[in-house]
Amino acid sequence: MSARFSCLSDWLAWQETAHPVKIDLSLGRVREVLGRLALPLAGVPVITVAGTNGKGSTVAFAEHILRHAGYCTGAYTSPHLLRYNERVRIDGLPVDDDTLCAAFERIDAARGEVSLSYFEWATLAALTIFAGRNCQVLLLEVGLGGRLDAVNIVDADVAIISSVDLDHQQFLGETREAIGAEKVAVARAGRPLIVADRDPPASVLAYATDIDASVWRFGVDYKASTSGDGTWCWQTAANALTLPVPDLPGAMQIRNAASAVLAVHLLTQRLPVPVSAFVAGVAHARIGGRFERRGHRLEWVLDVAHNPEAARNLAENLRAYPAAGRTVAVLGVLGDKDAVGMVGPLAGLIDAWHLAALDGPRGSTAQQLAARLAEVLPSAVRCHRTVAAACQAASAEAATDEWRRIVVFGSFQTVEQALRSGLLPTDSYN
């Protein structure tokens, strides 16, 4: 029986409940439906990005470089901040509702009795749309892990591991070694694997050796060094480029940019790219919710950091861009995340805390979050039923001159709800 709907919101609402398990890591179902779709994607170069953090930024850098070189790009990322359409981009622009609905109808007709998870629907829709638009290069962000993620049904010509840290342990394993083994499985035999993590788990390098992948390690096979004059140098043993410092702040963004530059460089025999495109792509890459700064007298910082490594990166950025006064935080964390590990790196940088509830099956109340953080936060935290209410209270508290910054972080959902609150300044100066 075919399920057809007239609008995108109905399709998405149905997909969220149609499959018995929300996160159901397996390649069998999605690979079977992909085969039935018979999409003409053979020969299209593919860059696949896996990792705990930095995936979206890495995709954004590669996407902008290739677009400035004149190629039609298809980028698939997740999750979205405000609109589902953000997940599927053609030439940097989200596709419209009708395009997504048409892709869902085609998948629905092809799948027969095969049940698909929400993410599997999205992945197949992206590939269907990219094939229909004759994209010249695909940029695919892994959703969860790598080995059994739906994105892994497509063979990567270049695979990137942006970082490996503890997150989603209930699906990927309790150690960096186990998690690294899951993520590195997006690599393919005899093809380049870019490892951006400075200290990769042994499992990553062992798998690469087993399949004879061509490994490029950050700090070893490719490097990035800043000069202090607004530029940085990307370098391999045979090539070097002087590039502008990205507008996306933080040392981790230069590392992400360096990996994207290398990935594009490794495809230049198939996709020639002039130096000017590397320069423009690195300079103009943007992505929302990654240390996104808004306002001036009172600065708002939006960051989707939702695990300890991302929180350490956020703390590094807060130190690199100090406020001229006190800082208040709005924090919303899903119930299955390491809230203590996220707050630890930031505790000395935040002067007051407003905790917000998050809805959904993985959500938690602010009081539950406060109980989880009782050992690491001061007792004078304030709890709120919504992110909007927490933002409102933080804004009121920061109305005096001694307060200079509000940091909103903890999850994509937290940043999304802050953006929807209507309380934030519209001027972003990343």
Side-chain angles (χ1 to χ4, degrees), residues 202-251:
S203 58
V204 170
L205 303 179
Y207 183 86
T209 298
D210 287 345
I211 67 169
D212 196 28
S214 174
V215 178
W216 295 76
R217 290 183 59 180
F218 181 75
V220 179
D221 305 296
Y222 71 109
K223 300 177 182 180
S225 56
T226 57
S227 59
D229 63 353
T231 65
W232 60 285
C233 181
W234 173 87
Q235 189 173 11
T236 67
N239 296 278
L241 291 171
T242 298
L243 299 166
V245 171
D247 277 346
L248 294 173

Side-chain angles (χ1 to χ4, degrees), residues 14-36:
W14 176 76
Q15 290 171 18
E16 286 183 340
T17 59
H19 193 68
V21 181
K22 185 173 181 62
I23 299 176
D24 192 5
L25 299 177
S26 170
L27 297 184
R29 298 181 306 274
V30 68
R31 183 174 281 145
E32 181 178 348
V33 178
L34 179 66
R36 296 179 187 179

Side-chain angles (χ1 to χ4, degrees), residues 68 113 118 140 146 160 179 183 186 190 197 238 323 342 347-348 404 428:
H68 279 282
E113 297 301 315
Y118 185 85
L140 308 179
I160 302 175
I179 293 170
K183 294 185 183 299
V186 298
D197 195 295
M342 291 167 56
R404 284 290 183 264
S428 177

